């Protein structure tokens, strides 16, 4: 699911795309796009004017509380980016859903991320290969194919400066590159390791301010937050251990405590101003406050 401007879009298991206007939810349009599961959708409207400050010093491309991917790149009509199991990434118009650009790959595609400056795109799928594209308007040109780890990848993201990008993989590794050299900067391993509970499902850079964090979630229970100034400091969160502490009847009396349960993590996102980290579970959404004052002063306190 994605929200941007006046639109909300949901992708389905059988190639469905449901599009509605937030101003008129009854205007929903449902079509089939692609030949299989729509694994990821992203949409936005381009900001009216691009910020003149450096990206790392401002909440760049944030409108109406939604962080823009800058897919539209100056066009008046919104754009929708769709990753499908039929080995494709499609760029579509809204609300017409006409295909503008279609990229084909040798594998099912799980995720694509456009850099905040709108000039690059990273694509990952059911392989350990990472596809890097340059982007100009609605045109994409492949410039490199890199190897992340030894397994498929589920997520990728760009730093706010558009200089670093990270890829999260099934075998429990997060790999970070510097796009300027196309060299790996660091490879991080999840807390639980391996491709079962420790598989990396989501990876996100903090989108604004001088917070400089990278967060990534594991298949169950754990979220890692890394200091991207050195990649040497990490805080690990065990999510959900007290999620329902105000609801003692949630579990039957003879049920195990929540702290001993594996909690399925469904999503991860920073607030546009990097003040909070939101973690999605099957039954709830958790919010963690980021210690921005400590981060601004380069203190040695906890990250969150």
């Amino acid at each position: 699911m994605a929200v941007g401007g006046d639109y909300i879009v949901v992708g389905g298991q059988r190639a469905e795309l449901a599009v509605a206007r937030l101003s008129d939810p009854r205007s929903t349009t449902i079509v089939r796009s692609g030949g299989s599961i729509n694994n990821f959708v992203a949409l936005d409207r381009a900001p009216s004017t691009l910020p003149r400050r450096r990206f790392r010093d401002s909440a760049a491309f944030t409108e109406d509380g939604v962080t823009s991917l800058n897919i539209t790149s100056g066009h008046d009509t919104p754009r929708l980016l769709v990753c499908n199991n039929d080995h494709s990434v499609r760029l579509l118009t809204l609300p017409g859903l006409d295909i503008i650009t279609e990229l084909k790959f040798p594998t099912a595609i799980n995720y694509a991320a456009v850099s905040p400056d709108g000039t690059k795109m990273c694509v990952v799928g059911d392989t350990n290969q990472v596809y890097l594209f340059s982007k100009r308007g609605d045109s994409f040109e492949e410039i490199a194919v890199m190897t992340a780890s030894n397994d498929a990848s589920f997520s990728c993201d760009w730093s706010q400066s558009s200089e670093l990008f990270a890829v999260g993989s099934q075998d429990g590794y997060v790999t970070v590159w510097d796009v300027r050299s196309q060299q790996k900067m660091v490879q991080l391993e999840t807390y639980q390791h391996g491709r079962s509970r420790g598989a990396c499902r989501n990876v996100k850079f903090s989108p604004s301010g001088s917070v400089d964090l990278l967060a990534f979630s594991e298949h169950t229970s754990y979220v890692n937050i890394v200091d991207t100034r050195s990649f040497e400091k990490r805080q690990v969160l065990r999510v959900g251990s007290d999620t329902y502490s105000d609801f003692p009847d949630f579990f039957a009396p003879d049920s195990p405590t929540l702290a001993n349960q594996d909690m399925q993590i469904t999503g991860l996102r920073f607030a546009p101003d990097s003040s909070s980290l939101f973690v999605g579970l099957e039954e709830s959404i958790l919010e963690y406050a980021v210690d921005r004052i400590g981060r601004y002063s380069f203190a040695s306190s906890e990250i969150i």
Side-chain angles (χ1 to χ4, degrees):
M1 182 178 71
V3 180
D6 189 37
Y7 292 96
I8 180 170
V9 178
V10 178
Q13 293 283 327
R14 296 179 176 86
E16 306 97 333
L17 281 177
V19 181
R21 289 184 180 270
L22 297 176
S23 59
D24 182 14
R26 292 173 297 181
S27 65
T28 302
T29 300
I30 301 177
V31 301
R32 288 179 61 87
S33 176
S36 187
I37 302 170
N38 285 317
N39 289 315
F40 174 72
V41 294
L43 74 154
D44 70 346
R45 57 182 181 181
S48 54
T49 57
L50 298 179
R52 295 183 181 277
R53 294 171 291 174
R54 286 177 57 84
F55 292 108
R56 65 181 299 109
D57 297 325
S58 63
F61 303 123
T62 300
E63 294 187 0
D64 302 332
V66 177
T67 302
S68 165
L69 296 179
N70 199 25
I71 297 172
T72 52
S73 190
H75 297 285
D76 293 331
T77 56
R79 299 292 196 257
L80 173 65
L81 193 69
V82 181
C83 299
N84 194 281
N85 256 14
D86 67 359
H87 301 192
S88 74
V89 172
R90 295 180 179 88
L91 189 65
L92 310 175
T93 62
L94 281 175
L97 297 176
D98 298 315
I99 296 178
I100 303 169
T101 303
E102 182 175 27
L103 305 174
K104 298 297 289 186
F105 298 85
T107 188
I109 298 301
N110 296 322
Y111 206 97
V114 177
S115 60
D117 65 5
T119 65
K120 299 172 285 290
M121 182 174 70
C122 175
V123 179
V124 297
D126 287 351
T127 177
N128 64 349
Q129 292 186 314
V130 178
Y131 303 92
L132 184 64
F133 289 82
S134 64
K135 178 180 179 296
R136 178 172 294 182
D138 294 330
S139 300
F140 298 84
E141 180 182 355
E142 186 178 290
I143 55 177
V145 179
M146 292 158 285
T147 301
S149 58
N150 294 315
D151 212 334
S153 299
F154 288 104
S155 182
C156 56
D157 196 36
W158 291 87
S159 67
Q160 59 184 296
S161 66
S162 299
E163 295 172 352
L164 308 181
F165 64 96
V167 171
S169 301
Q170 169 79 12
D171 53 1
Y173 286 97
V174 173
T175 309
V176 181
W177 284 266
D178 187 322
V179 72
R180 294 165 295 184
S181 65
Q182 298 183 18
Q183 298 296 313
K184 289 182 182 179
M185 289 186 61
V186 66
Q187 190 166 66
L188 307 165
E189 193 170 7
T190 55
Y191 178 76
Q192 298 177 99
H193 313 293
R195 68 189 313 274
S196 181
R197 291 180 175 86
C200 180
R201 301 300 190 192
N202 298 276
V203 57
K204 293 292 182 184
F205 283 95
S206 54
S208 59
S210 299
V211 176
D212 302 325
L213 297 176
L214 173 67
F216 55 93
S217 66
E218 305 183 18
H219 181 62
T220 61
S221 302
Y222 289 91
V223 172
N224 301 257
I225 304 98
V226 177
D227 184 342
T228 61
R229 295 168 186 163
S230 66
F231 291 99
E232 294 179 355
K233 184 179 180 183
R234 181 193 307 207
Q235 184 175 349
V236 179
L237 302 178
R238 174 67 160 90
V239 301
S241 58
D242 60 352
T243 306
Y244 299 102
S245 58
D246 294 331
F247 303 91
D249 295 330
F250 183 81
F251 289 106
D254 59 345
S255 296
T257 64
L258 191 62
N260 295 325
Q261 296 292 301
D262 276 334
M263 305 297 292
Q264 298 272 346
I265 299 175
T266 59
L268 182 76
R269 186 182 180 92
F270 281 96
D273 64 356
S274 300
S275 63
S276 298
L277 176 66
F278 296 93
V279 180
L281 305 179
E282 290 181 311
E283 301 291 341
S284 64
I285 298 175
L286 309 181
E287 180 180 2
Y288 295 89
V290 176
D291 180 12
R292 290 191 297 173
I293 295 177
R295 297 296 297 159
Y296 294 159
S297 61
F298 290 83
S300 58
S301 59
E302 291 293 328
I303 296 172
I304 286 184

